[in-house]
Amino acid sequence: MTSFQTKKLFLFALISLSSAFVIYAILASTIDDPMLLAKMKQGLFGLAALLVFVDWIFEIFSWRQHRENSHYEIQKITTDFGRKQEMATNERDRLATVFHTMQEGVVVLNEVGEITLFNPAMAKILSFNEEDLGCSLLEIIRNADLQLLVERALRGEERVAEELRMFLGEERYFQTQATPLRNHDEITGIVLVIYEITQLRQLERARRDFVANVSHELKTPLTSIQGFVETLIDSDLKDKEQTRKFLGILETNTRRLNRLVKELLRLSQIEAQQYILHPEAIKILDLFEELKKLHQAAADKKEMMVETKIIPAEALVDADKNALLQILSNLLDNAIKYSPKKSKISLSYRLGELGGEFTVTDQGIGIPQANLHRVFERFYRVDRSRSREEGGTGLGLAIAKHLIQLLEGEIWVESEEGKGSRFVFRLPSHP
């Protein structure tokens, strides 16, 4: 029964009781029998008592209805609060996930430049740890440009962005952005975002060096060709010996240009992953014999001996034969060029737990320790003058490295200046 229905019932009972009293008053003036009047009065009082009871029931029902309504309202408020709290928790978790998985380093500083929070990327980029919390950023990283950036943000400049160069054991480059945190008009700290771009800057530098080196490598033979062509034009062509000499020089420089262009195209093809591999089972003994034949003339010219060693003797390798020949040929060619006359070169293969290791060892001029990390760069030469005399392009080791990576292998060098070098590359064993 609803509250409205209860009110209607109570109103009906009240009207009925009033009507009964009116009827009783009219009849009482006409009836003389005291017994009848007493019964009528008793009935009216019973009706009145009934009306009081109905009113009491109505009060109880109204109280229960109010309590149920109040309980429903409280339940609704509680449900709404729980839903909003869940949404807030989910949003906080999403932000925390983003914060902890960002590749950019993020650090939050308070109004005096002290670290209050940083993400894992920042810990990795700048080697932060928990002990750095509460410390001044500028005490941990002493860099004048970074200090200026932080000061500008703390003064209220919006989104201060700069590229910074820092020396943290080595030269590194960072793209940084600082944004102030505000509470109304008061600056309470800053958010500093740091993204390392060292590799990008190194690639840009390598590209610039590559263009400069290519230009230089092309200019040298072209200048020589141009000079001798002009000399031939102006000279007496009847002198056959001199003419033949000039034409020989022109042929040498033309071949050098042709070799340079071919190796540039090959390197570009390998780097673009357009080099198609054709793996096959290759017998190491046959591979080494073919290599010795290819370089026998150059070795004999310098009275050099090329020794081979294979463990196990009947070893096979599953690889692209042309790629493997190119790698070993480049290494052997360098060993012959940079080694003195009557020296010895060792060409070996050993099957180990991690794969097959090829080694080319010479007794040449060696490589300075400071330059070991550069030997596989394009156009890098230990002895530039000797390399040009021998007709080298400076691309052989770069091509070898990229081919080995294409074969899923790795290459490294061990060298001592004045005593020779040992180039080793390992190819994985395929079951």
Side-chain angles (χ1 to χ4, degrees):
M1 183 180 292
T2 64
S3 175
F4 177 71
Q5 290 173 330
T6 306
K7 289 180 180 180
K8 286 177 63 178
L9 177 62
F10 180 74
L11 182 62
F12 175 74
L14 182 62
I15 294 172
S16 300
L17 182 60
S18 301
S19 300
F21 271 105
V22 171
I23 294 171
Y24 171 76
I26 296 172
L27 292 176
S29 60
T30 58
I31 297 175
D32 295 328
D33 188 348
M35 294 292 294
L36 181 59
L37 287 174
K39 288 182 179 181
M40 289 177 64
K41 187 180 293 184
Q42 186 178 0
L44 284 175
F45 282 121
L47 185 59
L50 177 63
L51 185 59
V52 171
F53 176 75
V54 170
D55 180 59
W56 178 68
I57 292 296
F58 172 72
E59 289 293 334
I60 292 175
F61 180 81
S62 297
W63 174 79
R64 287 190 61 187
Q65 189 72 22
H66 176 72
R67 188 180 66 176
E68 289 176 2
N69 291 340
S70 298
H71 177 73
Y72 173 76
E73 292 295 331
I74 293 172
Q75 188 177 20
K76 183 180 178 182
I77 292 171
T78 303
T79 302
D80 290 343
F81 177 76
R83 186 167 58 251
K84 290 178 180 178
Q85 187 178 32
E86 183 181 2
M87 290 173 62
T89 301
N90 291 339
E91 185 66 22
R92 183 193 61 195
D93 292 343
R94 280 195 294 268
L95 290 174
T97 301
V98 171
F99 182 73
H100 284 86
T101 57
M102 287 177 65
Q103 292 185 351
E104 296 84 358
V106 181
V107 59
V108 181
L109 308 179
N110 61 17
E111 68 277 5
V112 293
E114 295 173 341
I115 300 172
T116 60
L117 182 67
F118 58 85
N119 68 345
M122 179 63 79
K124 183 178 180 180
I125 292 171
L126 296 178
S127 302
F128 280 7
N129 54 56
E130 295 296 327
E131 295 178 358
D132 295 325
L133 291 172
C135 297
S136 171
L137 176 66
L138 303 178
E139 290 179 1
I140 300 171
I141 304 174
R142 297 186 179 277
N143 183 278
D145 293 330
L146 178 62
Q147 181 175 357
L148 181 61
L149 183 80
V150 171
E151 289 175 353
R152 288 172 59 189
L154 288 174
R155 285 197 301 265
E157 291 190 40
E158 296 290 340
R159 295 187 179 180
V160 186
E162 295 287 346
E163 181 178 320
L164 303 181
R165 184 178 66 168
M166 302 184 192
F167 292 91
L168 305 171
E170 59 182 356
E171 187 179 56
R172 296 169 67 183
Y173 293 85
F174 300 93
Q175 186 65 46
T176 58
Q177 178 175 298
T179 304
L181 297 172
R182 299 178 184 275
N183 183 9
H184 301 294
D185 294 331
E186 181 183 359
I187 296 176
T188 59
I190 64 170
V191 175
L192 184 64
V193 180
I194 295 180
Y195 183 71
E196 186 164 6
I197 56 172
T198 303
Q199 188 175 13
L200 177 63
R201 291 293 172 262
Q202 289 174 343
L203 290 173
E204 290 177 351
R205 183 185 300 167
R207 178 179 57 81
R208 290 194 300 269
D209 292 346
F210 176 73
V211 172
N213 284 324
V214 168
S215 301
H216 182 74
E217 293 296 330
L218 291 173
K219 181 182 178 182
T220 302
L222 284 174
T223 302
S224 179
I225 290 171
Q226 182 181 4
F228 282 103
V229 168
E230 290 173 353
T231 302
L232 282 171
I233 292 173
D234 296 336
S235 67
D236 184 4
L237 297 178
K238 293 180 181 180
D239 188 345
K240 292 184 178 180
E241 184 177 350
Q242 187 182 37
T243 301
R244 190 177 291 108
K245 178 183 177 182
F246 287 168
L247 288 175
I249 295 172
L250 288 174
E251 182 188 21
T252 300
N253 283 282
T254 303
R255 288 180 181 276
R256 181 179 171 187
L257 278 176
N258 186 48
R259 185 164 55 252
L260 176 62
V261 171
K262 281 185 177 179
E263 292 197 354
L264 281 172
L265 289 174
R266 185 179 295 114
L267 183 59
S268 175
Q269 184 183 40
I270 296 168
E271 288 182 332
Q273 297 184 347
Q274 295 174 351
Y275 189 98
I276 307 301
L277 296 174
H278 300 284
E280 59 179 298
I282 305 167
K283 191 174 181 180
I284 303 299
L285 180 61
D286 294 342
L287 181 70
F288 281 5
E289 288 300 319
E290 186 173 350
L291 276 168
K292 288 175 70 175
K293 287 179 182 179
L294 287 172
H295 295 273
Q296 191 65 53
D300 289 345
K301 187 177 179 180
K302 298 180 73 171
E303 302 177 49
M304 301 174 70
M305 181 185 297
V306 178
E307 296 181 342
T308 59
K309 186 177 182 180
I310 304 170
I311 301 175
E314 299 298 320
L316 297 173
V317 63
D318 187 29
D320 183 283
K321 184 177 180 180
N322 289 331
L324 204 51
L325 272 173
Q326 177 79 69
I327 295 164
L328 288 166
S329 185
N330 288 358
L331 295 176
L332 193 55
D333 184 57
N334 277 353
I336 294 172
K337 284 178 182 176
Y338 293 104
S339 295
K341 288 183 177 181
K342 299 183 180 181
S343 61
K344 184 174 65 176
I345 294 174
S346 173
L347 181 61
S348 66
Y349 174 84
R350 178 185 294 271
L351 181 61
E353 294 182 358
L354 300 177
E357 286 187 0
F358 293 85
T359 305
V360 178
T361 307
D362 64 53
Q363 297 173 338
I365 61 175
I367 306 167
Q369 291 294 317
N371 295 338
L372 277 178
H373 68 286
R374 297 192 59 198
V375 294
F376 298 106
E377 292 180 6
R378 291 171 290 188
F379 297 111
Y380 175 78
R381 293 183 175 92
V382 176
D383 187 336
R384 292 184 176 272
S385 60
R386 178 179 295 190
S387 179
R388 289 199 179 92
E389 289 174 5
E390 298 285 351
T393 62
L395 295 172
L397 290 179
I399 290 173
K401 178 185 177 182
H402 282 83
L403 282 174
I404 290 167
Q405 289 176 340
L406 198 63
L407 294 171
E408 300 179 356
E410 56 179 336
I411 185 171
W412 65 93
V413 59
E414 301 164 359
S415 183
E416 187 175 349
E417 195 170 5
K419 292 188 177 181
S421 302
R422 181 173 178 264
F423 284 86
V424 186
F425 68 92
R426 182 191 297 130
L427 299 182
S429 298
H430 297 288

